[in-house]
Amino acid sequence: MSTTTHPALLLDGVERTHGTGPTAVHALRGVSLAVEPGELVAVMGPSGSGKSTLLNVAGALDAPTGGRVLIDGQELSALGRKQLDRLRRRTMGFVFQDLNLIPSLTALENVSLPLELDGVALRTARAAARAALDKVRIPELADRFPEQLSGGQQQRAAIARALVGDRSLVLADEPTGALDSTTGEAVLRTLRQQCDDGAAGLLVTHESRHAAWADRVIFLRDGVVVDSTGDAATPESLLDRVV
Amino acid sequence: MSSSGERMTDHPIHENHAIAGYFGAWRLSLRLARRDIRRHRGRALLVVLLVGLPLLIVAAGATFAYTRDVSSKEGLTRTMGAAQAYLYPVDQWQVRQSPDGSTTGGDGLLPRASTLPGARPGRAVTAAGLQGVTGGEVLPVSNRSTRVQFGDRKISAQVLGIDGRNPAYRGMARRTTGRWPTTPDEVLVTRAGKARGIPSQGRIRLSEAGKIRAVTVVGTAAAPGAEALVALPVGADGWLLKRDTPVDWAEVKQLNRYGLVVQSRSVIEHPSQAANDGPAQRLSYDANPVPASVWTLLAVGLVIVIAMLAGPAFGASASRQRHALGLLVSNGATRPQLRRYLLGQALLLGAISALVSIVAGAVVGWAAIRVHVAMSPTAVAPGPLELRWRSGVLLLLIAIVASLVAAYIPAVAAARLRLIEVLRGQVSPRTVRAGWPVAGVVLAAGGAFLLWVAIVPSLDAGSRNVSNLPIIGAIGLGAAALFGGVLMTTPWLLAQLGRAAGRFPLAIRLAARDVSRQRGRAVATTAAILGTAALCCAALIGYATVQRDYAAEYTPQLPMGQASVDLYGDSDAAAAERVVQKAIPRAEIAAVSVLGSRPTLGTSSEWGVAMYSGTCTDQEAMQAAASDSCHIVSSPLAGNTIVVGDVDDLARVFRLSDTDRRQLRDGRLLLPTAGRRDGPTPMHVVTGTVDRFGDDRVKVAASKVLPAIASTQSSLTYAAPKDDTYVMSGPFPAGLATPAAVRGLGAVSVARLVISAPGGVSADAQRTIAERIDDADRFCVERGYQDDNRWVFVIIGAVFGLLLLVATLVSTAMSQAESRADSATLASIGAPGRTRRAIAASNAAVVGLVGALLGLVVGLVPGIAAARALTGGFGGRSAAVIPWGPMLAVVLGVPLLAAILAGLVTRGRPPMTRRTT
């Protein structure tokens, strides 16, 4: 977990344009955003507003066509490919909507994957993974393969993978999209708990009741932040802002 | 529904027409398949390549063979120029010939040939006589062997005798430079002649039937028959018939009565003229085609090879289409319809592959012919490009059948999908059926046992005949049971591998788990690799064991590294000695001579020696037709001779005892023990000639009585050589004598030069001598047993290795394509590019190694059995040879090579977001 004074994530005037000329699509237009350690920020907006692009750019899965992205004070554009890989392994973790666990690995192996990729000894990596599974309250499912887990259990394993190894930033893209409401709530509670423990979180969602778990909500429309002032008071108030 | 509310058709929608429904389903399947192929061109291209590659090789080979083969019709011009026919006499008997005149003979002896009108009975066929009976102009053609001398070289060569100035000969040879010969002392050198070193200008010497004459090279030519020289005809081996009217089949038959074979332009171009002539048709080449069983075997072999190559690709392709299949099922498709959907793709892809491969194969075959012509100047010129549509249709059928066979098992497996899982995008491994592994082991053991007992008892009974039907059936059944049994255990083995992978490094763990989870696809790939590796190992074991036996039975003829030159015909021993001495200045050369002269080219008479101690005439002894009282020790029919040489040379070559040396010095004829008579015996030694093709007519040249004595050794043949001695190969020496002893019995000629080179003959010296020495001589260097067929090893390894490599890489490529989402996930959590490459490499290694190692185990049984069959129970030796080096090179090396290639070609960084532009 970061102990510096930098925001865990800083987007400064970020732009992302797909294509060129008359067919160009401006997915993000000058988006600025800071996420502090211990803070969970929700991003809301209608379909095509640029939410997922924002998350991809924040997680260095995609490169911005303008502006800066800094994680723990490090500007991503200044980092080489290997350094970006290392950043993904050590500093930030992703949680995807479509439960992206590797099907041929057990839950424990999926969670220990970033550490194994980082060259951590297998025993140490597995111990850390077990601890992470413990945190998301599914330690007894460690040896099951993804297809033997329910959607909620898979998503918890994915959150454990995103956090294992003392990582400080969790980027979650509609993590409850494939889950029923009860399971979705449980997953968000887990995510909230991780942020309360000091991690920074950026949650993309289009459901106001999920955004209510965040400390702060920003609204995107046509690639522009239209509102970043509000805290997540109640789902109803959030809904009003979106509409 | 129409606006009136009536049905648009009188037939109910769901009326069941079984046949129409069946074809309708196929129509739908083919339409879907066609669109799927268009949409997934990469995948389709891969299958087309895998199915098409063997077909392309076969099509190219067939085009090459058909084109290189010159049929009578294609060879009309080179045979008879612009004439109506080519005629030549074969014997004193009437002729029965095939329509094209390429084959003669047939059932029963025909009457003596009629004499041409106007000729005296018994006279040979003459041009005048032929002109009289044919009414046309006849032109002589000769084609003879000759010896060509130029510089210090002498080679054998064929001379085409035609008069190129006469248009009737046009096409039999083409002048390229200079002018046509106008006198017998002028020649043209062809491309083949130049390739053999004959100068294309100046003077050369020709030696025919012992006569040498100098001729002038007046230009160069191209001869389709690859003769080295073109000159005016010398006598006539045959005649061209030049006239306005064609020679029909009736006239051919008429000319056959004069003992003439006739190649008629008219009959060759229109063979139907002879369609009703049964005996002639039976002589025709087409009457004895390759048996259908051979074609069937070849076709089945090709189907198996293609199915093995393409099977994994179809397996992977089927598994990639699970979602589409799931959607079909959700819309009511039945399992047979799903199978048809996949088989429809196989059918289309097979047909496309065949069409592409046949066209490409024809182009490649034609290109190969051009390369062959360019690189082989001494080869007979090929015919025009020849494509056979029947072969094309056969290849098309083979491609379709092979594709359907390859796709069938994957189609059946894919049709048994679990809809919910498929629509959710899940893949859950099926449980290995309880009892299958045990049943597999039992079946494999039974198959191995059956395979063994099918071969071994027949060998133990002293019979090596494993070709009868029950034994072949048992071998086939045993092999199938062994193969099938091991395949039945494979899912269990793969599952165990997946379970055991927990502690493996990440990449290998992922690969092992992937193979374990995707067992349907993995088993198809494993089957292909297993079968290929098993066949490869069996073939290598059989070959290595046979070679071991050959090596064990090999008897060296000379001390290792030393050499000999066997001299034939009129070759010059002194010239050969000079060539050797020049290449190896410090060589000691011992000449071994024989009584009599060497056979001469162009004559059928051979020198021979007879020895007898009883009472008969020399003539009778030479003919070996005498009574027992003749006591014939040796006759020309036995092919033996008397070896003549200095006592020391003979003693060195035959390792003679001191006693034998003394006998030779005393002028005695030394005989092997086999010909022993008590004490020194007067022996009649007769020399002369025997005409091998003239009823063994004998002509005695000289005769002399020599005192003969038996050698102290049992025979004058070889023993295992020592470093300081030589052995004598070739004809069995009937006796040894000094030149003085045989004086007056005719010429003594050098038959062999035995070369003793200090330190042995180097490879360079060997090459130099081989290039420079008269090509009628035989130059040999003793290098021990040489496996001249080592390339068989290489080809077996290369072909099977290639199959293994392709199967492994295809499986890996498909697996990687399937796991794109997982790769993106890995990248998103920071996996470096090398991890993805390592996963691809591990996938190839795991799939390849599992299949290949199982194949190695399976291949041992038929391999050892085959070794027994090929060597007749190991020829008394205890075991088959297992060539571990080459076998492991294939079963370990190829999967590792596949792993390296897979790692190299795999893209390290897959796109992590859907939209990348």
Side-chain angles (χ1 to χ4, degrees), chain B residues 479-501:
Chain B
L482 177 61
F483 181 72
V486 173
L487 267 192
M488 281 171 70
T489 64
T490 305
W492 179 81
L493 282 171
L494 295 177
Q496 296 310 308
L497 182 68
R499 280 193 198 121

Side-chain angles (χ1 to χ4, degrees), chain A residues 69-233:
Chain A
V69 180
L70 290 86
I71 292 177
D72 270 352
Q74 289 180 287
E75 189 170 343
L76 298 188
S77 62
L79 301 180
R81 190 176 277 178
K82 288 183 179 174
Q83 289 165 307
L84 283 175
D85 284 343
R86 195 179 303 122
L87 195 73
R88 286 195 206 101
R89 292 197 299 265
R90 294 182 180 175
T91 307
M92 61 179 162
F94 275 93
V95 182
F96 301 96
Q97 179 183 356
D98 41 0
L99 318 173
N100 280 15
L101 296 179
I102 306 290
S104 54
L105 296 179
T106 62
L108 182 73
E109 289 169 336
N110 262 293
V111 175
S112 68
L113 194 56
L115 299 178
E116 279 194 60
L117 290 170
D118 208 26
V120 175
L122 198 59
R123 188 186 296 265
T124 312
R126 299 248 165 121
R130 243 176 239 289
L133 285 173
D134 207 21
K135 262 178 142 179
V136 297
R137 300 197 190 93
I138 50 169
E140 73 282 4
L141 305 177
D143 294 329
R144 291 203 190 168
F145 285 95
E147 75 262 8
Q148 296 166 328
L149 300 174
S150 69
Q153 290 166 338
Q154 288 190 45
Q155 202 58 293
R156 285 187 199 199
I159 292 173
R161 186 177 68 189
L163 289 165
V164 75
D166 212 15
R167 287 187 287 183
S168 55
L169 177 62
V170 180
L171 303 167
D173 188 3
E174 306 265 13
T176 58
L179 307 176
D180 61 75
S181 58
T182 312
T183 311
E185 292 291 320
V187 165
L188 287 170
R189 187 173 292 118
T190 306
L191 188 59
R192 175 72 257 176
Q193 183 61 51
Q194 301 310 315
C195 292
D196 290 343
D197 290 348
L202 186 64
L203 166 69
V204 165
T205 181
H206 61 268
E207 289 200 38
S208 53
R209 60 196 171 85
H210 292 159
W213 289 91
D215 297 307
R216 197 151 55 89
V217 183
I218 66 163
F219 296 91
L220 277 179
R221 184 176 292 143
D222 296 331
V224 178
V225 177
V226 293
D227 186 354
S228 60
T229 55
D231 55 354

Side-chain angles (χ1 to χ4, degrees), chain B residues 317-328 414 417-419 421-423 425-428 430 518 818:
Chain B
S317 174
S319 107
R320 288 200 69 191
Q321 296 177 66
R322 289 172 75 245
H323 191 71
L325 295 174
L327 290 175
L328 286 173
L417 51 82
R418 295 173 184 166
L419 184 59
E421 277 182 10
V422 169
L423 293 180
Q426 294 176 341
V427 179
S428 59
R430 289 171 187 275
Q518 305 276 0
E818 263 182 73

Side-chain angles (χ1 to χ4, degrees), chain B residues 145-159:
Chain B
S145 290
T146 189
R147 305 272 292 149
V148 184
Q149 293 178 41
F150 48 96
D152 61 348
R153 291 188 63 189
K154 189 190 278 186
I155 64 168
S156 301
Q158 206 70 17
V159 185

Side-chain angles (χ1 to χ4, degrees), chain A residues 16 18-19 56 61 81 85 88-89 94 96 100 102-105 109 113 116-117 122 126 145 147 161, chain B residues 427 429 502-503 506 509-510 513 517 822 825-832 835 909 912-913 915-917:
Chain A
R16 179 66 173 101
H18 299 292
N56 288 340
L61 299 185
R81 190 176 277 178
D85 284 343
R88 286 195 206 101
R89 292 197 299 265
F94 275 93
F96 301 96
N100 280 15
I102 306 290
S104 54
L105 296 179
E109 289 169 336
L113 194 56
E116 279 194 60
L117 290 170
L122 198 59
R126 299 248 165 121
F145 285 95
E147 75 262 8
R161 186 177 68 189
Chain B
V427 179
R503 311 297 296 179
L506 179 67
R509 191 186 331 146
L510 279 167
R513 292 265 176 78
R517 286 165 50 77
D822 295 346
T825 303
L826 279 168
S828 72
I829 56 175
T835 302
R909 302 211 161 254
M912 288 179 280
T913 58
R915 190 191 276 172
T916 54
T917 55

Side-chain angles (χ1 to χ4, degrees), chain B residues 326-397:
Chain B
L327 290 175
L328 286 173
V329 171
S330 68
N331 281 285
T334 61
R335 281 187 180 180
Q337 285 170 330
L338 294 187
R339 283 201 298 270
R340 261 177 244 142
Y341 170 64
L342 294 167
L343 291 175
Q345 291 179 13
L347 196 141
L348 279 184
L349 289 172
I352 293 169
S353 301
L355 295 175
V356 171
S357 311
I358 290 167
V359 173
V363 173
V364 171
W366 176 242
I369 278 284
R370 302 319 306 162
V371 171
H372 169 71
V373 167
M375 297 183 69
S376 309
T378 56
V380 172
L385 176 65
E386 188 173 343
L387 305 171
R388 297 193 183 178
W389 67 269
R390 277 187 194 171
S391 304
V393 171
L394 182 66
L395 285 182
L396 177 69
L397 291 176

